[in-house]
Amino acid sequence: MSLTELQTPTTTEVRVGRLEDVPPGEGRAFTAGDTQVAVFRLRDGSLHATQASCPHAGGPLADGQTDARVLVCPLHLFGFRWSDGASTSGAGPLRVYAVRESDGDLLVTL
Amino acid sequence: MAAVLGGRPEGVTTVPLGPDAELDPRPRVVVVGNGMAGARLVEELLERGGGDQFAITVFGEEPHGTYNRIMLSPVLAGETHEDEIVLNSHDWYADNGIELRSGVAVTRVDLPAKTVHGDDGTVTGYDHLVLATGSSSFVPPMTGVHRDDGSLLPGVVGFRTIDDTRVMLAAATEHERAVVVGGGLLGLEAARALQGQGMQVDLLHAAGHLMNAQLDADAGAILKTSVEALGITVHCGLTATEVIGPDRVRGVVLADGRAVDAGLLVLAAGIRPRTEVAVRSGLEVQRGIVVDDQLRTEDPDVYAVGECAQHRGTVYGLVSPVWEQARVLADVLTGTDPTAEYHGSRTATKLKVAGVDVATMGVTGPERDDDEFLVISEPRRGVHLSVVVRDDRLVGATLLGDTSKVAYLTQAFDRGSPLPARRIELLVDLSDGKAEVGVAELPADSQVCNCNGVSKAAICEAVAGGCTSVGAVMDRTRAGKGCGSCKGLVGQIVEWAADGDVTEDPAADWYVPGIPLAKPALIAAVREQDLRSVSAVFAALAPAGAEDARSKMALTSLLKTVWGSDFVRENDATFINDRVHANIQRDGTFSVVPQMKGGVTSVAQLRTIADVAEKYEVPMIKVTGGQRIDLLGVRKEDLPGMWADLGMPSGYAYGKSFRTVKTCVGSDFCRFGLDDSTGLGIDLETRFQGIESPAKMKLAVVGCPRNCAEAYVKDVGVVAVGEGRWEVYVGGAAGASVRKGDLLATVTGRDAVVQLAGRFMQYYRENAHWLERTYDFVPRVGLEKIQAVLLEDSEGIVADLDAGMQRSIDAYTDPWAADLAEPATPGQFRTSLPLVDLPLVPVR
Ligand code: SRM
Ligand SMILES: Cc1cc2nc3c(=O)[nH]c(=O)nc-3n(C[C@H](O)[C@H](O)[C@H](O)COP(=O)(O)OP(=O)(O)OC[C@H]3O[C@@H](n4cnc5c(N)ncnc54)[C@H](O)[C@@H]3O)c2cc1C
Ligand code: SF4
Ligand code: FES
C-alpha cells in the first residue's frame, strides 16, 4: 500500500479520499489500510475524523449528526466531543484522528 | 487514630501553598466551614466560573472532607458505610484548585483588617468572607452534664458530626442502654438506629407529642405508637434533670424523680446556630448571624449561609434552604446575577423517621375560620394524613405513614397549582382502585428507564449529586432519553428525591434544545424572517448562530410543515433514516417497507416483493404490526436498486410522520361490517401519505365496534357505526403507553371523516411538542378545547388548518422515486461500515 510513502516514526498520514466525497455537514466512512475512519466536514468548513464504528455498540458513526461541539451516533444517540472523543452521555471514549485537506485530498493522521 | 473521612491515603499530606499564593492577583474568597452550605457554595461558585475568578480558601474545623450530614443516620444504623457519604474529598478540593484548611477552626475575624485568624495561629486575608459554620447540638440544662473544664461528660454526645456518630457506634458495642433526649427528627433517628444496633433505648421528649414542630397532636400520637412498636420506650412531656456520673454517664434522673440506667446519653433536643466567631468579631447576631436578602451581614464583605444565618427572622434547620442560599450568594459573588436575592424558603420536608415516612409542608392545622381542613386518620395502619386549604390554595399538608402523594402535594404547595374540586383527591387516588404505585414506594433498584437501564437509585443519586432540574437529571443519567415513555415518572422521582426543590428547565418549553424559543414563537420567527433551511434557522435564531446536532431533525420537520414544497432540504440536517428513507438497524443495515395502503395487497405486489427479496438476499421478510411487509437487513448501497425494482412508493416506516392506516375487511366481506372501512382507510392513507409531524401518526379504520384493526388505540381511529356515520377517536395509543382514544365527533360520510382527520392532524402538527405523540397531546390540550377549535371554529383557524394541510399534501413526493432519479448528496448510499461483513442480523 501507499501507506509507507508518508511514514514517520510515530504517526502516519494517509490519504483516504477526496474532499468532495464528503458533502458539507455530513460524514463518510473510509478505510486507511486496515483502519476504518469516519471523516466529517462541518458546514463551517472544518474537518474531523474519528474511528468509524461507535464505541458503544458499533453504530455507523459516519451516519451520525454533528455540530461544532459533538458527533451524535445514529443508533442510540450518544454524543461524543470532537475535542477529545469523550462521550457527553456516558459511553466511549471515541478515537479521534487529525485530518486535513491538501489539494482536495483528505489526509488522516493515524 | 480514627480515619479522616474523604482524606488522602496515609502518608500523603496536603500540598502546602507555594509562595505565589501571596502574589495571586485574584480576589480571595474565604469560606469558614466546609459543611453542606460551605461546600455547596464552593460548588456553585465553580459552576459559575468562580474557580478562575477567585482564589478560594475553605476552613473546616473537622479534619474531614465534606460529607453528607443527612446520611449520618443510616451510618449510625449500620445501613451505609461512612466512606459512602463523602461529598467532596480532600482530592476534590485539590483538583479544583481550592485550598482546604481542614482541621483548622477560625477563632475570629478582624473586620477592619479583612483577615481571619485560625486556631493554628495563621492569619489569612480575604476580599469576601463567607461564614458557613452551621449549628451545634443544644445541651439542655442538666446537673452533671459538663465536667469541670466545661467539656461534656464522657458518654454524653450530640448528634451532629461523623465523630459523634463514631462515639455512639463505639458505645453501642460496650453498653446496653441508651437515653436519647429529644423526640424530633434527630432524636427519633438516633433512637431507632441505636435500637437497631442492639441497645435498649429510652426516648425523652419535653413536649406533649413527638415531632411537635411538624405534626399535630393526633399525628404525633400515631407516630408514638409506631415508634413504640419498634421496641423503643417513649416518654413524652418528660425531661431529664440530672446526669448520673461521675467519671462517665451511668444514667439519668428524670423530672418525675425516677432514674434510668444508661451508658450513653444522646442530646438531640434541638440545635443552636454556631455564631461564636461572628459574635467575637462584632457582627450582629440575634438567634443566628443576621443577613439581608443577599446573605450579607452588616459588613459589606462578609456573608453568612446555612444554618448559622438568620434571614428575615428565620433560622433554617434543613438543607433545601441551604441550597437556595448558596445559589443566590454564588450569583452575587461571581456577578452572574448581581441583583440575585433570597426571599426565604417555604420548607416542605420529606423524611423517613424511625422507619416511618413523614412529609410535612406549611401549616399543620387550620388557622382561620374559613380554612378547609381535611384529615384521614387510620391509627391501626399508622397512617395520618391532613391538608389545609386556604382560598383554593394548599397552605399545609402533613403525611404520616403514607407519603405516596407527596410529589403532587409539594408541587401544589410550591407553585399554587389548581386543586381538585373533590378535596379528598388531594390525599387519595380515587381513579379505579388499582392505585398506581407511588414513587416513594418504588424500590431503589427498580428500573425506571428501560431503554437506557436507569434505576430509581441512579436518578436519586443524580439529584443528590446536584442536578436540580429534570433536564439535568436526564442529561446526567440518560433516563427518559430512549423512547421517552418514562419521562413523567422520571419527573416525579426527581421531584420526590429533591423534596420538591426542582428548578424549572429554562429549556423546558423550547421546541428544540438549540434555539431558545417555544414553538409558536419559533414558527412566527421562521415565517417573518423567511427561514427556509435549517442552517438559516441556526444562523438567525440560535445563540451565537451555533448549530446544535440534536435540534436538526426537529427543525427539518418543522420547516417542512411550515413551508411545504418551498422548504430547502439539507441532508445533513436530517436523521439517517430520513437521509436514506429507511430505518437503520442495529448492525447499520436498513429495513425497507413499501407502502401497502390499508394493508391491502395484490398478487402483482406480492410477486414483486418476493422477487426483490430473492434478488437482494434479504435476510428476513416479515409481516409488520402495521399491516404491511418489511424487508429487513438491507445494505445501504442496495437501497436504490431495491426501490427501482419494487416500483412502489415508500411506506414511511422510518420517519416521524404519518405512517399507516390499518383497516379491517369491513362491509364488503365481513358479516358484521357496517361500512367500507377498507376503502376509507385507503382514502386516508392516499391523502395523508408521508406527511411529517412532531411524532408518528398511526391510524386505523374499522367497520364496526368489534374493533378488529384496533382503531380505539390509534392517533386517529375511525369506527363505523352504521348509516354512513363514523366515530372519530383521537389520542389513542397501544405502544409504550396504552390509552383509549377520546371521541372527537361522530360524523356522516367519508368526506367528513377525511376532513376532520386532516384538521386534527394539522392542529396537532402545529401545536405539539417535538416527539409528543397524540396520546400526550390530546390530554394536555384537553378534548373540550380541541372540539371547540375543530368543530366550532372557536379560534377562527379551521380554514387555515385546512389550507396548511393541503399545502403539505401538495408538497408530497415519494422520496424513493425522487432520490432514485438523483441522489440528494454525493455518496448518499455509500456504506458507513466498510470493513464489516454484513449482514450481522440473523438470516431466516
Ligand atoms: C416493524 C415493526 C414491528 C413488526 O415487526 O411488526 C416496528 C418496528 C419498530 N418500531 Fe414499532 N414497529 C411496528 C409497529 C408498531 C406498532 C403497531 C402499529 O403500528 O399498529 C406500535 C404501537 C402503536 C403506536 O405506535 O402507538 C409500535 C410502537 C412503537 C414505539 C412506541 C411509540 C409510543 O410512543 O408509544 C416505538 C418507539 C418510538 O417511536 O420511539 C417504535 C419503534 C420502532 C422501531 C422503528 C425502533 C427504531 O427506532 O429502530 C422499530 C424498527 C425495527 C427495525 O429495525 O426496522 N414502535 N410499533 C412494525 C412496523 C409497522 C409498520 O408497518 O409501519
Ligand atoms: C443526623 C442528621 C440528619 C439530618 N437529616 C436531615 C434531613 O433528612 N433533611 C434535611 O433537610 N436536613 C437534615 N439534617 C440537617 C442538615 O444536615 C443541615 O441543614 C445542614 O447540614 C446545614 O448545613 P451547614 O453547612 O449550614 O452546617 P453544617 O453541615 O453543620 O456545616 C458547618 C461546618 O462548619 C464547621 N465549622 C463551624 N465553625 C467553624 C469554625 N469556626 N471554623 C471552621 N469550621 C467551622 C463545622 O465543623 C461544620 O463542618 C440532618 C442533620 C443531621 C445532623
Ligand atoms: S420492533 Fe418494536 S417492540 Fe420490537 S424490539 Fe424493536 S422497538 Fe421494540
Ligand atoms: S452504537 Fe453508538 S450510541 Fe449506541
Side-chain angles (χ1 to χ4, degrees), chain A residues 25-26 28-29 43 63-67 76-79 89, chain B residues 478 548-550 552 572 574-575 579 636 825-827 830 832:
Chain A
E26 293 192 56
R28 292 287 181 262
R43 279 190 178 261
D63 287 339
Q65 287 193 287
T66 63
D67 60 29
H76 309 104
L77 308 185
F78 282 50
S89 30
Chain B
R478 298 183 44 75
D548 176 51
R550 298 180 194 272
K552 291 182 177 180
D572 59 305
T574 56
F575 183 58
R579 284 187 204 171
K636 200 189 201 179
T825 55
R830 243 184 63 184
S832 287

PDB file of all heavy atoms in Angstrom, chain A residues 25-26 28-29 43 63-67 76-79 89, chain B residues 478 548-550 552 572 574-575 579 636 825-827 830 832:
ATOM      1  N   GLY A  25     -21.491  19.156   5.948  1.00  0.00           N
ATOM      2  CA  GLY A  25     -22.392  18.821   7.044  1.00  0.00           C
ATOM      3  C   GLY A  25     -22.491  17.334   7.304  1.00  0.00           C
ATOM      4  O   GLY A  25     -22.991  16.918   8.338  1.00  0.00           O
ATOM      5  N   GLU A  26     -22.018  16.509   6.381  1.00  0.00           N
ATOM      6  CA  GLU A  26     -22.186  15.070   6.545  1.00  0.00           C
ATOM      7  C   GLU A  26     -20.865  14.372   6.879  1.00  0.00           C
ATOM      8  O   GLU A  26     -19.821  15.012   7.004  1.00  0.00           O
ATOM      9  CB  GLU A  26     -22.791  14.458   5.272  1.00  0.00           C
ATOM     10  CG  GLU A  26     -24.230  14.912   5.014  1.00  0.00           C
ATOM     11  CD  GLU A  26     -24.912  14.081   3.929  1.00  0.00           C
ATOM     12  OE1 GLU A  26     -24.960  12.851   4.074  1.00  0.00           O
ATOM     13  OE2 GLU A  26     -25.375  14.668   2.944  1.00  0.00           O
ATOM     14  N   ARG A  28     -18.540  10.583   6.006  1.00  0.00           N
ATOM     15  CA  ARG A  28     -18.417   9.399   5.159  1.00  0.00           C
ATOM     16  C   ARG A  28     -17.339   8.494   5.761  1.00  0.00           C
ATOM     17  O   ARG A  28     -16.396   8.984   6.382  1.00  0.00           O
ATOM     18  CB  ARG A  28     -18.016   9.778   3.727  1.00  0.00           C
ATOM     19  CG  ARG A  28     -19.083  10.527   2.950  1.00  0.00           C
ATOM     20  CD  ARG A  28     -20.248   9.627   2.526  1.00  0.00           C
ATOM     21  NE  ARG A  28     -21.251  10.357   1.756  1.00  0.00           N
ATOM     22  CZ  ARG A  28     -22.384  10.853   2.269  1.00  0.00           C
ATOM     23  NH1 ARG A  28     -22.659  10.697   3.559  1.00  0.00           N
ATOM     24  NH2 ARG A  28     -23.230  11.498   1.504  1.00  0.00           N
ATOM     25  N   ALA A  29     -17.513   7.212   5.541  1.00  0.00           N
ATOM     26  CA  ALA A  29     -16.534   6.269   6.076  1.00  0.00           C
ATOM     27  C   ALA A  29     -15.503   5.926   5.011  1.00  0.00           C
ATOM     28  O   ALA A  29     -15.825   5.852   3.826  1.00  0.00           O
ATOM     29  CB  ALA A  29     -17.241   5.005   6.546  1.00  0.00           C
ATOM     30  N   ARG A  43     -20.326  22.345   8.285  1.00  0.00           N
ATOM     31  CA  ARG A  43     -20.723  23.431   7.390  1.00  0.00           C
ATOM     32  C   ARG A  43     -19.794  24.632   7.483  1.00  0.00           C
ATOM     33  O   ARG A  43     -19.759  25.450   6.575  1.00  0.00           O
ATOM     34  CB  ARG A  43     -22.165  23.852   7.683  1.00  0.00           C
ATOM     35  CG  ARG A  43     -23.139  22.923   7.007  1.00  0.00           C
ATOM     36  CD  ARG A  43     -24.554  23.413   7.044  1.00  0.00           C
ATOM     37  NE  ARG A  43     -25.368  22.438   6.305  1.00  0.00           N
ATOM     38  CZ  ARG A  43     -25.743  22.598   5.049  1.00  0.00           C
ATOM     39  NH1 ARG A  43     -25.433  23.695   4.398  1.00  0.00           N
ATOM     40  NH2 ARG A  43     -26.433  21.666   4.444  1.00  0.00           N
ATOM     41  N   ASP A  63     -22.871   7.921   9.710  1.00  0.00           N
ATOM     42  CA  ASP A  63     -24.279   8.245   9.527  1.00  0.00           C
ATOM     43  C   ASP A  63     -24.813   9.149  10.634  1.00  0.00           C
ATOM     44  O   ASP A  63     -26.014   9.403  10.716  1.00  0.00           O
ATOM     45  CB  ASP A  63     -25.119   6.954   9.499  1.00  0.00           C
ATOM     46  CG  ASP A  63     -24.936   6.167   8.206  1.00  0.00           C
ATOM     47  OD1 ASP A  63     -24.514   6.778   7.201  1.00  0.00           O
ATOM     48  OD2 ASP A  63     -25.206   4.951   8.196  1.00  0.00           O
ATOM     49  N   GLY A  64     -23.936   9.626  11.504  1.00  0.00           N
ATOM     50  CA  GLY A  64     -24.382  10.419  12.644  1.00  0.00           C
ATOM     51  C   GLY A  64     -24.672  11.859  12.288  1.00  0.00           C
ATOM     52  O   GLY A  64     -24.521  12.286  11.148  1.00  0.00           O
ATOM     53  N   GLN A  65     -25.101  12.620  13.288  1.00  0.00           N
ATOM     54  CA  GLN A  65     -25.330  14.053  13.091  1.00  0.00           C
ATOM     55  C   GLN A  65     -24.307  14.843  13.893  1.00  0.00           C
ATOM     56  O   GLN A  65     -23.812  14.381  14.914  1.00  0.00           O
ATOM     57  CB  GLN A  65     -26.750  14.425  13.500  1.00  0.00           C
ATOM     58  CG  GLN A  65     -27.759  13.906  12.481  1.00  0.00           C
ATOM     59  CD  GLN A  65     -29.136  14.522  12.678  1.00  0.00           C
ATOM     60  OE1 GLN A  65     -29.827  14.196  13.613  1.00  0.00           O
ATOM     61  NE2 GLN A  65     -29.513  15.410  11.787  1.00  0.00           N
ATOM     62  N   THR A  66     -24.004  16.042  13.432  1.00  0.00           N
ATOM     63  CA  THR A  66     -22.894  16.791  14.007  1.00  0.00           C
ATOM     64  C   THR A  66     -23.260  18.237  14.283  1.00  0.00           C
ATOM     65  O   THR A  66     -24.214  18.773  13.723  1.00  0.00           O
ATOM     66  CB  THR A  66     -21.715  16.832  13.012  1.00  0.00           C
ATOM     67  OG1 THR A  66     -22.148  17.525  11.834  1.00  0.00           O
ATOM     68  CG2 THR A  66     -21.245  15.446  12.648  1.00  0.00           C
ATOM     69  N   ASP A  67     -22.483  18.847  15.181  1.00  0.00           N
ATOM     70  CA  ASP A  67     -22.423  20.302  15.253  1.00  0.00           C
ATOM     71  C   ASP A  67     -20.991  20.661  15.617  1.00  0.00           C
ATOM     72  O   ASP A  67     -20.118  19.785  15.605  1.00  0.00           O
ATOM     73  CB  ASP A  67     -23.473  20.878  16.219  1.00  0.00           C
ATOM     74  CG  ASP A  67     -23.314  20.384  17.651  1.00  0.00           C
ATOM     75  OD1 ASP A  67     -22.175  20.071  18.058  1.00  0.00           O
ATOM     76  OD2 ASP A  67     -24.337  20.300  18.359  1.00  0.00           O
ATOM     77  N   HIS A  76     -27.960   4.975  19.146  1.00  0.00           N
ATOM     78  CA  HIS A  76     -28.569   5.232  20.459  1.00  0.00           C
ATOM     79  C   HIS A  76     -28.366   6.669  20.895  1.00  0.00           C
ATOM     80  O   HIS A  76     -28.542   7.007  22.053  1.00  0.00           O
ATOM     81  CB  HIS A  76     -28.003   4.269  21.503  1.00  0.00           C
ATOM     82  CG  HIS A  76     -28.067   2.836  21.061  1.00  0.00           C
ATOM     83  ND1 HIS A  76     -26.960   2.157  20.625  1.00  0.00           N
ATOM     84  CD2 HIS A  76     -29.110   1.991  20.914  1.00  0.00           C
ATOM     85  CE1 HIS A  76     -27.315   0.925  20.255  1.00  0.00           C
ATOM     86  NE2 HIS A  76     -28.617   0.807  20.417  1.00  0.00           N
ATOM     87  N   LEU A  77     -27.944   7.480  19.948  1.00  0.00           N
ATOM     88  CA  LEU A  77     -27.863   8.927  20.135  1.00  0.00           C
ATOM     89  C   LEU A  77     -26.908   9.364  21.244  1.00  0.00           C
ATOM     90  O   LEU A  77     -27.088  10.405  21.846  1.00  0.00           O
ATOM     91  CB  LEU A  77     -29.264   9.504  20.377  1.00  0.00           C
ATOM     92  CG  LEU A  77     -30.312   9.097  19.337  1.00  0.00           C
ATOM     93  CD1 LEU A  77     -31.620   9.820  19.591  1.00  0.00           C
ATOM     94  CD2 LEU A  77     -29.850   9.358  17.916  1.00  0.00           C
ATOM     95  N   PHE A  78     -25.876   8.571  21.516  1.00  0.00           N
ATOM     96  CA  PHE A  78     -24.831   9.056  22.402  1.00  0.00           C
ATOM     97  C   PHE A  78     -24.064  10.154  21.663  1.00  0.00           C
ATOM     98  O   PHE A  78     -23.875  10.085  20.464  1.00  0.00           O
ATOM     99  CB  PHE A  78     -23.850   7.941  22.770  1.00  0.00           C
ATOM    100  CG  PHE A  78     -24.352   6.987  23.813  1.00  0.00           C
ATOM    101  CD1 PHE A  78     -25.592   6.395  23.695  1.00  0.00           C
ATOM    102  CD2 PHE A  78     -23.573   6.674  24.914  1.00  0.00           C
ATOM    103  CE1 PHE A  78     -26.054   5.505  24.657  1.00  0.00           C
ATOM    104  CE2 PHE A  78     -24.014   5.783  25.885  1.00  0.00           C
ATOM    105  CZ  PHE A  78     -25.267   5.200  25.751  1.00  0.00           C
ATOM    106  N   GLY A  79     -23.616  11.155  22.421  1.00  0.00           N
ATOM    107  CA  GLY A  79     -22.826  12.234  21.824  1.00  0.00           C
ATOM    108  C   GLY A  79     -21.361  12.081  22.198  1.00  0.00           C
ATOM    109  O   GLY A  79     -21.039  11.615  23.283  1.00  0.00           O
ATOM    110  N   SER A  89     -22.475  11.523  27.196  1.00  0.00           N
ATOM    111  CA  SER A  89     -23.551  10.825  27.897  1.00  0.00           C
ATOM    112  C   SER A  89     -23.141   9.423  28.342  1.00  0.00           C
ATOM    113  O   SER A  89     -23.964   8.535  28.390  1.00  0.00           O
ATOM    114  CB  SER A  89     -24.801  10.785  27.028  1.00  0.00           C
ATOM    115  OG  SER A  89     -24.465  10.765  25.664  1.00  0.00           O
TER     116      SER A  89
ATOM    117  N   ARG B 478     -29.254   9.798  31.353  1.00  0.00           N
ATOM    118  CA  ARG B 478     -29.867   9.372  30.108  1.00  0.00           C
ATOM    119  C   ARG B 478     -31.273   8.795  30.332  1.00  0.00           C
ATOM    120  O   ARG B 478     -31.894   8.296  29.397  1.00  0.00           O
ATOM    121  CB  ARG B 478     -29.000   8.345  29.349  1.00  0.00           C
ATOM    122  CG  ARG B 478     -27.645   8.900  28.949  1.00  0.00           C
ATOM    123  CD  ARG B 478     -26.821   7.917  28.134  1.00  0.00           C
ATOM    124  NE  ARG B 478     -27.569   7.222  27.099  1.00  0.00           N
ATOM    125  CZ  ARG B 478     -27.950   7.764  25.964  1.00  0.00           C
ATOM    126  NH1 ARG B 478     -27.666   9.001  25.698  1.00  0.00           N
ATOM    127  NH2 ARG B 478     -28.616   7.047  25.091  1.00  0.00           N
ATOM    128  N   ASP B 548     -26.799  23.002  16.463  1.00  0.00           N
ATOM    129  CA  ASP B 548     -26.951  22.020  17.523  1.00  0.00           C
ATOM    130  C   ASP B 548     -27.430  20.724  16.897  1.00  0.00           C
ATOM    131  O   ASP B 548     -28.520  20.651  16.337  1.00  0.00           O
ATOM    132  CB  ASP B 548     -27.944  22.516  18.568  1.00  0.00           C
ATOM    133  CG  ASP B 548     -28.203  21.466  19.627  1.00  0.00           C
ATOM    134  OD1 ASP B 548     -27.218  20.948  20.180  1.00  0.00           O
ATOM    135  OD2 ASP B 548     -29.371  21.125  19.863  1.00  0.00           O
ATOM    136  N   ALA B 549     -26.578  19.691  17.016  1.00  0.00           N
ATOM    137  CA  ALA B 549     -26.868  18.425  16.332  1.00  0.00           C
ATOM    138  C   ALA B 549     -28.237  17.884  16.726  1.00  0.00           C
ATOM    139  O   ALA B 549     -28.980  17.369  15.906  1.00  0.00           O
ATOM    140  CB  ALA B 549     -25.785  17.398  16.657  1.00  0.00           C
ATOM    141  N   ARG B 550     -28.573  18.018  18.024  1.00  0.00           N
ATOM    142  CA  ARG B 550     -29.799  17.388  18.496  1.00  0.00           C
ATOM    143  C   ARG B 550     -31.058  18.174  18.158  1.00  0.00           C
ATOM    144  O   ARG B 550     -32.166  17.756  18.485  1.00  0.00           O
ATOM    145  CB  ARG B 550     -29.703  17.141  20.002  1.00  0.00           C
ATOM    146  CG  ARG B 550     -28.562  16.202  20.363  1.00  0.00           C
ATOM    147  CD  ARG B 550     -28.490  15.974  21.850  1.00  0.00           C
ATOM    148  NE  ARG B 550     -27.216  15.363  22.232  1.00  0.00           N
ATOM    149  CZ  ARG B 550     -27.017  14.052  22.255  1.00  0.00           C
ATOM    150  NH1 ARG B 550     -27.988  13.223  21.942  1.00  0.00           N
ATOM    151  NH2 ARG B 550     -25.835  13.568  22.594  1.00  0.00           N
ATOM    152  N   LYS B 552     -31.515  19.358  14.953  1.00  0.00           N
ATOM    153  CA  LYS B 552     -31.665  19.428  13.497  1.00  0.00           C
ATOM    154  C   LYS B 552     -32.890  18.679  12.975  1.00  0.00           C
ATOM    155  O   LYS B 552     -33.632  19.191  12.138  1.00  0.00           O
ATOM    156  CB  LYS B 552     -30.405  18.880  12.826  1.00  0.00           C
ATOM    157  CG  LYS B 552     -29.198  19.794  13.023  1.00  0.00           C
ATOM    158  CD  LYS B 552     -27.973  19.239  12.313  1.00  0.00           C
ATOM    159  CE  LYS B 552     -26.798  20.210  12.451  1.00  0.00           C
ATOM    160  NZ  LYS B 552     -25.602  19.704  11.773  1.00  0.00           N
ATOM    161  N   ASP B 572     -27.813  16.981   5.703  1.00  0.00           N
ATOM    162  CA  ASP B 572     -27.127  16.817   6.977  1.00  0.00           C
ATOM    163  C   ASP B 572     -28.019  17.227   8.148  1.00  0.00           C
ATOM    164  O   ASP B 572     -27.718  16.925   9.287  1.00  0.00           O
ATOM    165  CB  ASP B 572     -25.836  17.634   7.004  1.00  0.00           C
ATOM    166  CG  ASP B 572     -26.096  19.109   6.779  1.00  0.00           C
ATOM    167  OD1 ASP B 572     -26.722  19.461   5.769  1.00  0.00           O
ATOM    168  OD2 ASP B 572     -25.683  19.926   7.632  1.00  0.00           O
ATOM    169  N   THR B 574     -30.931  16.121   8.559  1.00  0.00           N
ATOM    170  CA  THR B 574     -31.914  15.065   8.780  1.00  0.00           C
ATOM    171  C   THR B 574     -31.248  13.896   9.503  1.00  0.00           C
ATOM    172  O   THR B 574     -30.028  13.739   9.461  1.00  0.00           O
ATOM    173  CB  THR B 574     -32.475  14.547   7.442  1.00  0.00           C
ATOM    174  OG1 THR B 574     -31.383  14.114   6.640  1.00  0.00           O
ATOM    175  CG2 THR B 574     -33.247  15.621   6.715  1.00  0.00           C
ATOM    176  N   PHE B 575     -32.071  13.109  10.142  1.00  0.00           N
ATOM    177  CA  PHE B 575     -31.589  11.895  10.800  1.00  0.00           C
ATOM    178  C   PHE B 575     -31.297  10.874   9.705  1.00  0.00           C
ATOM    179  O   PHE B 575     -31.875  10.929   8.623  1.00  0.00           O
ATOM    180  CB  PHE B 575     -32.684  11.395  11.757  1.00  0.00           C
ATOM    181  CG  PHE B 575     -32.284  10.178  12.546  1.00  0.00           C
ATOM    182  CD1 PHE B 575     -31.171  10.200  13.364  1.00  0.00           C
ATOM    183  CD2 PHE B 575     -33.041   9.021  12.482  1.00  0.00           C
ATOM    184  CE1 PHE B 575     -30.807   9.084  14.105  1.00  0.00           C
ATOM    185  CE2 PHE B 575     -32.684   7.895  13.221  1.00  0.00           C
ATOM    186  CZ  PHE B 575     -31.561   7.931  14.026  1.00  0.00           C
ATOM    187  N   ARG B 579     -32.384  10.481   5.720  1.00  0.00           N
ATOM    188  CA  ARG B 579     -31.413  10.696   4.634  1.00  0.00           C
ATOM    189  C   ARG B 579     -31.534   9.612   3.575  1.00  0.00           C
ATOM    190  O   ARG B 579     -31.313   9.861   2.405  1.00  0.00           O
ATOM    191  CB  ARG B 579     -29.984  10.663   5.182  1.00  0.00           C
ATOM    192  CG  ARG B 579     -29.587  11.901   5.903  1.00  0.00           C
ATOM    193  CD  ARG B 579     -28.108  11.829   6.245  1.00  0.00           C
ATOM    194  NE  ARG B 579     -27.862  12.690   7.386  1.00  0.00           N
ATOM    195  CZ  ARG B 579     -26.731  12.734   8.057  1.00  0.00           C
ATOM    196  NH1 ARG B 579     -25.722  11.955   7.700  1.00  0.00           N
ATOM    197  NH2 ARG B 579     -26.581  13.542   9.070  1.00  0.00           N
ATOM    198  N   LYS B 636     -27.150  -0.599   2.845  1.00  0.00           N
ATOM    199  CA  LYS B 636     -27.451   0.769   2.410  1.00  0.00           C
ATOM    200  C   LYS B 636     -27.265   0.920   0.902  1.00  0.00           C
ATOM    201  O   LYS B 636     -28.090   1.520   0.216  1.00  0.00           O
ATOM    202  CB  LYS B 636     -26.499   1.709   3.136  1.00  0.00           C
ATOM    203  CG  LYS B 636     -26.907   3.155   3.224  1.00  0.00           C
ATOM    204  CD  LYS B 636     -25.692   3.878   3.778  1.00  0.00           C
ATOM    205  CE  LYS B 636     -25.899   5.182   4.408  1.00  0.00           C
ATOM    206  NZ  LYS B 636     -24.601   5.710   4.900  1.00  0.00           N
ATOM    207  N   THR B 825     -27.198  13.831  -2.057  1.00  0.00           N
ATOM    208  CA  THR B 825     -25.822  14.299  -1.904  1.00  0.00           C
ATOM    209  C   THR B 825     -24.913  13.197  -2.417  1.00  0.00           C
ATOM    210  O   THR B 825     -25.327  12.032  -2.473  1.00  0.00           O
ATOM    211  CB  THR B 825     -25.461  14.575  -0.422  1.00  0.00           C
ATOM    212  OG1 THR B 825     -25.717  13.396   0.343  1.00  0.00           O
ATOM    213  CG2 THR B 825     -26.245  15.735   0.150  1.00  0.00           C
ATOM    214  N   PRO B 826     -23.672  13.543  -2.765  1.00  0.00           N
ATOM    215  CA  PRO B 826     -22.764  12.514  -3.245  1.00  0.00           C
ATOM    216  C   PRO B 826     -22.570  11.431  -2.190  1.00  0.00           C
ATOM    217  O   PRO B 826     -22.472  11.737  -1.002  1.00  0.00           O
ATOM    218  CB  PRO B 826     -21.440  13.267  -3.466  1.00  0.00           C
ATOM    219  CG  PRO B 826     -21.787  14.711  -3.474  1.00  0.00           C
ATOM    220  CD  PRO B 826     -23.064  14.884  -2.735  1.00  0.00           C
ATOM    221  N   GLY B 827     -22.557  10.219  -2.600  1.00  0.00           N
ATOM    222  CA  GLY B 827     -22.320   9.126  -1.656  1.00  0.00           C
ATOM    223  C   GLY B 827     -23.470   8.896  -0.699  1.00  0.00           C
ATOM    224  O   GLY B 827     -23.286   8.353   0.378  1.00  0.00           O
ATOM    225  N   ARG B 830     -23.584   5.332   0.225  1.00  0.00           N
ATOM    226  CA  ARG B 830     -22.345   4.616   0.477  1.00  0.00           C
ATOM    227  C   ARG B 830     -22.368   4.007   1.864  1.00  0.00           C
ATOM    228  O   ARG B 830     -22.836   4.614   2.818  1.00  0.00           O
ATOM    229  CB  ARG B 830     -21.165   5.595   0.394  1.00  0.00           C
ATOM    230  CG  ARG B 830     -20.219   5.237  -0.736  1.00  0.00           C
ATOM    231  CD  ARG B 830     -19.030   6.127  -0.752  1.00  0.00           C
ATOM    232  NE  ARG B 830     -18.220   6.001   0.450  1.00  0.00           N
ATOM    233  CZ  ARG B 830     -17.175   6.762   0.662  1.00  0.00           C
ATOM    234  NH1 ARG B 830     -16.847   7.692  -0.211  1.00  0.00           N
ATOM    235  NH2 ARG B 830     -16.456   6.608   1.762  1.00  0.00           N
ATOM    236  N   SER B 832     -21.423   2.909   5.538  1.00  0.00           N
ATOM    237  CA  SER B 832     -20.667   3.600   6.570  1.00  0.00           C
ATOM    238  C   SER B 832     -19.850   2.661   7.435  1.00  0.00           C
ATOM    239  O   SER B 832     -19.211   3.070   8.385  1.00  0.00           O
ATOM    240  CB  SER B 832     -21.621   4.406   7.453  1.00  0.00           C
ATOM    241  OG  SER B 832     -22.058   5.529   6.729  1.00  0.00           O
TER     242      SER B 832
END
